[in-house]
Amino acid sequence: MYQAIVFLPLVGAILAGLITLAGARARFPGGSPVAEGHDHAADHHAVDEHGAQRHDAHHPTEPAAAGSRAAELITTSLLFVSMILSWIGFVSVGFGQDVHVNLINWFTAGDLKVDWALRVDTLTAVMLVVVTTVSAFVHLYSIGYMVEEPYRPRFFCYLSLFTFAMLMLVTSDNLVQLFFGWEGVGLMSYLLIGYWYQKPEANAAAIKAFVVNRVGDFGFALGIFAVFMMTGAIDFDTIFAQAPSLVGKTIHFLFWNVDALTLICILLFIGAMGKSAQFLLHTWLPDAMEGPTPVSALIHAATMVTAGVFMVARLSPLFELAPTAQAVVVFFGATTAMFAATIGLVQNDIKRIIAYSTCSQLGYMFVAMGVGAYSVGMFHLFTHAFFKALLFLGSGSVIMAMHHEQDIQKMGGLKDKIPFTYTMMVIGTLALTGFPLTAGYFSKDAIIESAFVSHNPMAIYAFGLTVAAAALTSFYSWRLIFVTFHGRPHDRHHYDAAHESPAVILIPLAFLAAGAILSGYPFKELFVGHGVETFFRDSLRFAPSNHILEELHQVPYGIALLPTVMMGLGFLVSWYFYIRKPALPAELARQHEPLYKFLLNKWYIDELYEIIFVRPTLWLGRLLWKQGDGRIIDGLGPDGVSARVLDVTRNVVRLQTGYLYHYAFAMLIGAAAFITWFIVRAGTG
């Protein structure tokens, strides 16, 4: 069963890929588009005067689109089968025994033996449910959202390949297999973010995501090397068994000796920072909104960005023994939660607002991981997948209604035009902000309470920032609702043409909305209550001194109520700003222009990176190109010695005239010169 869960998306991707190739051959029977002199990119998409994607500029009757329906049905059907099997596995593993499936011996190099195996425990089962459920509904949603794309098989191929890579990651039994899935989702995110490859913004966003993740992955790879150096193994069981013996040991790193477990965990967390868009390595996530909306929902709501959270949870036996590393995790998690929330206050792109919300919520998850409340962090990962995917896909329905306009300031009054989408977005917002009895209320509040009771050195810092971020999250989330759906229309032309999306788009919204409500209370006992040890068993390890789950149930009532109060405060301020006094936000922005620009420009971190990293790198590259390659290598090589040899040979070749008397004359001159030299030499001797 578990082999089917993992490999069915791969089968769908292969079939969709074959359909893509067949469509390309049907379209260009004489060769490639370049060989035919055909402008593939121009035919593939058209861009309007605002640079936005126009989905009405295609030709659905073209041969390349002939297999689109087959690719859609195959990949989507296989994902739903995988989803159903994942839920069955969730029940059987959660209340039964863990499963280990050894597929093949991948490779052996000296003392390093790597098996390709599936490790299915409760932690894996949770991730299987999250990945396959969101991916299945994203596939279904994409059938409607990408209907005007002539090359849909390629898109569905990428979606299924991404899902396969993520499933390989969460079922990995060792660090090498995990790294394979880790890099696989990175590659597929690059292809999906840059799917509209004729758009410069999409290409730049895809490259940025790829490069920033390579920074984190470098640290992750060093962490894996350090683990192997200290334990001689990369499989989880061996690593976890040897972890206690690493306490007190040191590694010589960058000219000084550091605690081995602290260094290993920090290096591994650097990888999580890149993949899960934590502060300083977060810059790729908002730009990734250049990809299609289903991509945003799949990658940036429930799957790739949560890979770092899953990795820390999987390696909890190491982090539990490295309190300094845990403090680092808490610091970056809390900072990210607050940092991203402040930027979300002033963004106007509907998808970027939700993207910064994702960034902030990932910070919450890492706070839970850092304070040792691993099951609580996984609980928020589980609930967040449903309501954040709902918000992303709901925003896609809004974008379609507004003819692919994404600026909320050009919307307004849409609740009467698209009432179902409005209802779904409100449900997602209630869950995100932690409204009582929604999924977010149970999971996010538990993280804040965990920070309060934790003894981590950064716990008070995390508690203060997560409480403040809760108020900001409520404010900007309801700002999106009020500006988009309430008030007067700001673009009458698009407003008049707006209409509800087709059923193939609305059905996934309904199911995800149910998840945004029902994934909370029914599962609370398993993730936060007294059933955690029974449910997770050995998939999460808690140190004997870690009593955070017991202390979590002893939080004072005022502290437990505080997140709800902050949620209500954020709602009231947002309502006052955008419903009661809609002119007030613009006036405040004018009065506090420096602060407004600071937040609007995302704390100028991109500009700072431009100065610190990008420009020096470009300068160095230009120096090596012009001076190193051009002046030195080319100057001494092709333009130097080689050029002079060529000049000499060209002149020498001219002596080869083919006339006998020329050669006889040359021989005579040579003989005369030789005799003259011999006589002079003999006379001087």
Side-chain angles (χ1 to χ4, degrees), residues 48-254:
D48 65 16
E49 65 274 13
H50 303 292
Q53 195 63 45
R54 282 179 53 196
H55 290 253
D56 58 346
H58 308 305
H59 309 281
T61 58
E62 292 172 345
S68 296
R69 183 60 65 190
E72 293 168 350
L73 294 178
I74 291 172
T75 55
T76 303
S77 300
L78 292 178
L79 250 300
F80 270 96
V81 173
S82 183
M83 180 193 75
I84 294 170
L85 294 176
S86 295
W87 279 99
I88 295 173
F90 176 77
V91 175
S92 61
V93 172
F95 300 96
Q97 297 294 324
D98 298 344
V99 178
H100 185 275
V101 181
N102 195 357
L103 300 177
I104 58 172
N105 173 247
W106 195 357
F107 64 87
T108 302
D111 295 332
L112 177 62
K113 179 182 178 182
V114 180
D115 291 328
W116 195 350
L118 304 181
R119 180 190 184 97
V120 184
D121 52 19
T122 309
L123 183 62
T124 302
V126 172
M127 293 301 298
L128 289 178
V129 165
V130 168
V131 174
T132 57
T133 301
V134 173
S135 182
F137 284 112
V138 166
H139 275 71
L140 180 62
Y141 178 95
S142 299
I143 294 176
Y145 192 85
M146 306 295 286
V147 67
E148 295 168 349
E149 289 289 324
Y151 300 97
R152 294 193 296 282
R154 177 167 64 93
F155 180 78
F156 281 85
C157 174
Y158 291 169
L159 283 183
S160 291
L161 271 179
F162 174 87
T163 306
F164 166 71
M166 190 67 193
L167 292 174
M168 285 303 307
L169 189 157
V170 301
T171 58
S172 57
D173 186 51
N174 56 72
L175 287 173
V176 174
Q177 186 178 333
L178 189 149
F179 193 73
F180 168 80
W182 193 273
E183 294 302 306
V185 294
L187 170 62
M188 299 317 301
S189 68
Y190 168 80
L191 295 174
L192 285 167
I193 294 169
Y195 174 75
W196 287 323
Y197 56 84
Q198 83 295 342
K199 291 177 60 179
E201 298 86 355
N203 285 327
I207 293 172
K208 187 175 184 179
F210 197 79
V211 171
V212 172
N213 273 276
R214 298 292 74 71
V215 175
D217 292 352
F218 180 69
F220 189 38
L222 290 179
I224 294 175
F225 297 154
V227 169
F228 182 71
M229 182 180 74
M230 297 301 295
T231 65
I234 46 83
D235 64 286
F236 293 134
D237 288 336
T238 305
I239 294 171
F240 298 159
Q242 295 192 29
S245 65
L246 299 181
V247 176
K249 291 187 177 180
T250 61
I251 296 178
H252 189 72
F253 182 75
L254 296 180

Side-chain angles (χ1 to χ4, degrees), residues 330 334 364 367-368 371 373 376 445-456 458-467 548 552 555 559:
V330 174
Y364 275 91
V367 167
V371 300
V376 176
D445 287 19
I447 292 176
I448 297 175
E449 294 166 12
S450 299
F452 178 79
V453 301
S454 172
H455 303 290
N456 189 289
M458 301 303 301
I460 298 301
Y461 173 81
F463 174 72
L465 291 192
T466 51
V467 167
I548 192 167
L552 190 60
V555 174
I559 297 298

Side-chain angles (χ1 to χ4, degrees), residues 215-368:
V215 175
D217 292 352
F218 180 69
F220 189 38
L222 290 179
I224 294 175
F225 297 154
V227 169
F228 182 71
M229 182 180 74
M230 297 301 295
T231 65
I234 46 83
D235 64 286
F236 293 134
D237 288 336
T238 305
I239 294 171
F240 298 159
Q242 295 192 29
S245 65
L246 299 181
V247 176
K249 291 187 177 180
T250 61
I251 296 178
H252 189 72
F253 182 75
L254 296 180
F255 310 109
W256 71 87
N257 293 324
V258 295
D259 182 75
L261 278 172
T262 299
L263 178 64
I264 287 171
C265 290
I266 290 177
L267 288 173
L268 294 172
F269 176 64
I270 290 174
M273 288 177 63
K275 197 67 70 182
S276 297
Q278 293 301 281
F279 181 64
L280 299 181
L281 293 180
H282 69 280
T283 54
W284 67 271
L285 182 61
D287 291 356
M289 297 302 104
E290 292 293 340
T293 299
V295 173
S296 303
L298 179 62
I299 296 180
H300 310 117
T303 50
M304 188 179 101
V305 293
T306 61
V309 180
F310 165 79
M311 185 265 287
V312 174
R314 172 61 76 201
L315 300 178
S316 57
L318 301 182
F319 281 88
E320 280 289 87
L321 301 174
T324 303
Q326 286 184 312
V328 172
V329 173
V330 174
F331 171 78
F332 278 99
T335 303
T336 303
M338 186 64 180
F339 158 79
T342 61
I343 298 177
L345 296 174
V346 298
Q347 298 299 306
N348 295 315
D349 185 301
I350 187 171
K351 288 171 63 178
R352 285 178 183 265
I353 296 172
I354 303 173
Y356 278 109
S357 170
T358 298
C359 194
S360 182
Q361 297 306 305
L362 289 166
Y364 275 91
M365 298 176 202
F366 278 111
V367 167

